[in-house]
Amino acid sequence: MQTIEPEKKGRLMRQCARMVSYICVPYAIPLVAVTLLLFGTYLNNLPLASRFSLLGIIAAFTLLLPASAIGLYMCLHKLKPSHFHTRKNRFIPHLMFILSYIFCLVIMIRMRLPWYMTGIILSVLLMLVTSLIASLKWKLSEHAMGMGAILAGLVYFSAWYGFNPILWLGVCILLAGCVGTAVLILGNHTPSEVFLGYALGYACATLGLTPGFNILVLFLFRLIH
C-alpha cells in the first residue's frame, strides 16, 4: 500500500486549505444571501429584471469595485497577496471595502428595499468596521467572522420564515470548522484570533439584523439627507 510522504501530505493540506480560503471569502456573503432571498422566498414574485438589477448593484459594490481598487493599489505599490497577512498592510484594503459597502447601503436605502435586505449589508459593514478597529492591535480572521455572521443570519431568517434550521446549522458549523482549520493550516491566524472572529462575526450579524438597529440607521440617514 503506497503511503504519502510527509512533505507531499503537508503540501496537499496547504493546497486544500488555500482552496477553502478562496471559496469561502467573507465578502461574497451579501451576494449569496440576497440571491437566496430573491429566488428562494416570496420575493421570487418580483420581475426577473428587477432581481438581477439588484444583484448587479450588490455584486458591483461588495465585490467588483473594491477588488478592482485593491488590485490597482497592489500594482501601484508593488504588493503581493501575501503582504496583506500583516496588520499594517490590511488597513487600506479594509478601508476600501468599508467605503464601498457604505455606498451600497446608501443606494439600497434610497431604493426603499426591505430593511432585512439592507440589514445584510449593514451586518457585513459592521463586521468590516470591527475588523478594522481590531486590526490596530490584533489580526482577526475575517473568514471566521464571515462564518459567524452566516450562522447568526441562518438563526435569524429561520425564525423569520419559520423553517427548521437544524440541518443547515449542522452544515454551516461543519463548514465553519473547515474554514477555521484552513486558516490555521495556512498559518495566517492563531486559534484565539479564529475563535474571537467567530464570536464577533456572530455579534455583528445579530446587531445588523435587529429591526430596531436598522430603524435607527434609517432615521440617521434621513436626518443627514
Side-chain angles (χ1 to χ4, degrees):
M1 184 176 179
Q2 188 176 6
T3 58
I4 302 176
E5 297 179 6
E7 287 188 11
K8 290 184 178 179
K9 185 177 180 180
R11 188 162 55 247
L12 180 62
M13 288 180 63
R14 289 184 65 83
Q15 288 175 347
C16 292
R18 195 172 289 111
M19 186 180 301
V20 171
S21 178
Y22 286 145
I23 293 174
C24 298
V25 58
Y27 306 113
I29 291 175
L31 183 61
V32 174
V34 174
T35 299
L36 291 175
L37 287 177
L38 290 176
F39 290 92
T41 67
Y42 70 92
L43 296 175
N44 61 10
N45 293 320
L46 293 172
L48 193 61
S50 299
R51 283 181 280 168
F52 277 112
S53 296
L54 177 57
L55 291 177
I57 291 172
I58 293 174
F61 282 95
T62 63
L63 289 173
L64 300 179
L65 290 178
S68 300
I70 291 173
L72 180 60
Y73 175 77
M74 291 172 63
C75 291
L76 293 176
H77 293 82
K78 298 180 180 179
L79 297 174
K80 296 180 180 179
S82 58
H83 291 150
F84 294 132
H85 293 162
T86 62
R87 285 187 288 126
K88 179 182 177 181
N89 291 332
R90 286 158 67 95
F91 185 83
I92 297 299
H94 264 100
L95 196 57
M96 289 179 177
F97 267 102
I98 288 172
L99 291 174
S100 190
Y101 268 74
I102 290 174
F103 282 121
C104 185
L105 181 62
V106 169
I107 290 173
M108 292 180 71
I109 290 175
R110 285 185 174 275
M111 293 173 67
R112 299 185 180 277
L113 294 171
W115 67 265
Y116 51 84
M117 278 198 178
T118 57
I120 293 172
I121 303 297
L122 186 59
S123 297
V124 182
L125 180 58
L126 289 172
M127 191 178 76
L128 290 171
V129 172
T130 301
S131 181
L132 179 66
I133 295 173
S135 67
L136 299 175
K137 189 174 182 179
W138 300 288
K139 191 182 70 170
L140 297 180
S141 170
E142 292 182 357
H143 285 80
M145 292 184 77
M147 292 310 305
I150 288 174
L151 287 171
L154 182 59
V155 170
Y156 172 80
F157 282 111
S158 66
W160 181 263
Y161 288 106
F163 68 88
N164 189 338
I166 296 300
L167 176 61
W168 287 107
L169 275 175
V171 173
C172 288
I173 290 172
L174 179 62
L175 183 59
C178 292
V179 170
T181 303
V183 297
L184 290 175
I185 290 175
L186 294 173
N188 297 336
H189 299 280
T190 63
S192 60
E193 291 170 344
V194 172
F195 287 121
L196 187 56
Y198 287 137
L200 288 177
Y202 192 97
C204 288
T206 300
L207 179 60
L209 291 171
T210 300
F213 185 73
N214 277 266
I215 293 171
L216 176 61
V217 171
L218 181 59
F219 176 73
L220 293 175
F221 173 79
R222 288 178 177 173
L223 280 181
I224 295 173
H225 289 76

